[in-house]
């Protein structure tokens, strides 16, 4: 079951911050790290993210569970670079047939994996501590986003858990009709692809019906809309964004001082 509900302790100081401020801080912190390819700056950023996690009221075990796709992507990056990396510089650690692992390959893989974690973890933390309805309200009130966009994003966000349920229903329906791949890996791949296609078709149909229903209820109108829950942007929210800028700049500064800074565009 896919869950999108916030899992933070309600009294955590940073979890109570304005949703737009948390999103802005996460974007600033993440995109600043894209300026370098070295592993030092992302490693420092990850250490900072884990250090401030208790201030968001999220347990480390919960974060690990929500960040599981990042672990899988990290493993995929490692395997891909080991097999297909063009730069094989450095000391050879393993040379078995077409597979040659060098220190240069591992250093490049480490840098990319750390960047993926450092860039993605702030988003995971933000959505683990933010109610989707509060985020939509804050986008309309504080970021001045169009109501159609904000409410549409909220509706799409609310439909995410249904994807897991539909996948399970499609799989059970096919199993009931005798469609089973057994232990054949090729058949399993084909069954996975056909199930994903059926899920995609169902999601497109549901999205189309939802868009028509929203237009019928006036979400496409230019009439000013009222809000039920006021989202306030205070000085503490501005300090959160400023703190993200300072911490990201500090990580890059340490990387430059250590001589490991490798600019993305040289």
């Amino acid at each position: 079951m896919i869950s999108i509900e916030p899992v933070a302790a309600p009294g955590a100081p940073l979890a109570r911050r304005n949703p737009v401020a948390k999103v802005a801080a996460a974007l600033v912190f993440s995109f600043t790290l894209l300026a370098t390819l070295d592993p030092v700056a992302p490693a420092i950023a990850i250490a900072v993210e884990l250090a401030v996690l208790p201030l968001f009221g999220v347990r480390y075990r919960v974060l690990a569970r929500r960040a599981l796709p990042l672990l899988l992507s990290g493993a995929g990056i490692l395997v891909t670079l080991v097999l297909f990396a063009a730069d094989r510089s450095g000391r050879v650690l393993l040379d078995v047939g077409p597979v040659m692992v060098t220190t240069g390959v591992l250093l490049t893989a480490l840098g990319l994996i750390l960047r993926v974690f450092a860039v993605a973890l702030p988003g995971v933390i933000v959505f683990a501590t933010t109610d989707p309805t509060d985020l939509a309200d804050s986008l309309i009130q504080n970021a001045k986003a169009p109501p159609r966009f904000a409410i549409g994003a909220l509706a799409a966000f609310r439909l995410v858990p249904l994807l897991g349920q539909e996948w399970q229903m499609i799989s059970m329906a096919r199993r009931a009709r005798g469609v089973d791949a057994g232990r054949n890996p090729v058949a399993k791949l084909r069954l996975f692809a056909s199930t994903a296609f059926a899920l995609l078709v169902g999601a497109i149909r549901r999205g189309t019906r939802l868009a028509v229903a929203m237009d019928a209820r006036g979400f496409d109108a230019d009439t000013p809309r009222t809000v039920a829950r006021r989202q306030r942007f205070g000085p503490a929210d501005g300090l959160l964004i400023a703190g993200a800028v300072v911490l990201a700049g500090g990580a890059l500064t340490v990387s430059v001082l250590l001589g490991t800074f490798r600019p993305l565009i040289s």
Side-chain angles (χ1 to χ4, degrees), residues 33-77:
L33 298 175
L34 296 178
T36 179
L37 297 174
D38 73 286
V40 174
I44 296 174
I46 293 174
V48 170
E49 292 162 5
L50 295 179
V52 301
L53 189 63
L55 299 178
F56 283 94
V58 179
R59 296 181 179 180
Y60 290 103
R61 183 180 302 177
V62 175
L63 178 65
R65 197 162 53 239
R66 293 217 168 186
L68 181 60
L70 296 180
L71 298 176
L72 300 178
S73 65
I77 292 173

Side-chain angles (χ1 to χ4, degrees), residues 66-111:
R66 293 217 168 186
L68 181 60
L70 296 180
L71 298 176
L72 300 178
S73 65
I77 292 173
L78 178 61
V79 172
T80 301
L81 287 179
V82 167
L83 294 178
F84 304 110
D87 183 11
R88 303 283 176 173
S89 60
R91 187 164 57 92
V92 177
L93 302 177
L94 179 65
D95 190 358
V96 180
V99 178
M100 185 174 67
V101 181
T102 65
T103 55
V105 171
L106 292 182
L107 185 62
T108 303
L110 177 63

Side-chain angles (χ1 to χ4, degrees), residues 1-9 22 50 53 56-74 116-117 119-132 135 157-158 160-161:
M1 178 66 181
I2 302 175
S3 176
I4 60 171
E5 297 301 324
V7 293
K22 289 190 286 186
L50 295 179
L53 189 63
F56 283 94
V58 179
R59 296 181 179 180
Y60 290 103
R61 183 180 302 177
V62 175
L63 178 65
R65 197 162 53 239
R66 293 217 168 186
L68 181 60
L70 296 180
L71 298 176
L72 300 178
S73 65
V116 169
F117 273 80
V119 169
L121 276 181
V124 175
I125 295 173
V126 167
F127 286 104
T129 60
T130 305
D131 181 77
L135 177 58
F157 207 53
R158 289 294 188 187
V160 169

Side-chain angles (χ1 to χ4, degrees), residues 145-173:
R148 186 183 187 188
F149 166 78
I151 303 300
L154 171 61
F157 207 53
R158 289 294 188 187
L159 291 177
V160 169
L162 296 180
L163 296 178
Q165 297 178 6
E166 282 202 2
W167 182 278
Q168 187 176 12
M169 291 175 59
I170 295 173
S171 301
M172 293 175 63

Side-chain angles (χ1 to χ4, degrees), residues 145-239:
R148 186 183 187 188
F149 166 78
I151 303 300
L154 171 61
F157 207 53
R158 289 294 188 187
L159 291 177
V160 169
L162 296 180
L163 296 178
Q165 297 178 6
E166 282 202 2
W167 182 278
Q168 187 176 12
M169 291 175 59
I170 295 173
S171 301
M172 293 175 63
R174 294 190 171 187
R175 195 176 299 117
R177 292 196 300 267
V179 181
D180 192 2
R183 297 186 177 181
N184 188 335
V186 178
K188 285 185 177 181
L189 182 60
R190 290 177 178 174
L191 184 60
F192 176 85
S194 62
T195 304
F197 181 75
L199 184 67
L200 175 63
V201 171
I204 293 175
R205 288 176 177 173
R206 181 181 291 107
T208 302
R209 292 195 299 267
L210 180 62
V212 173
M214 290 179 63
D215 286 345
R217 287 166 173 78
F219 283 100
D220 194 24
D222 295 331
T223 305
R225 308 184 65 87
T226 58
V227 293
R229 297 190 295 184
R230 180 65 59 183
Q231 299 291 331
R232 304 190 182 280
F233 194 99
D237 301 308
L239 289 176

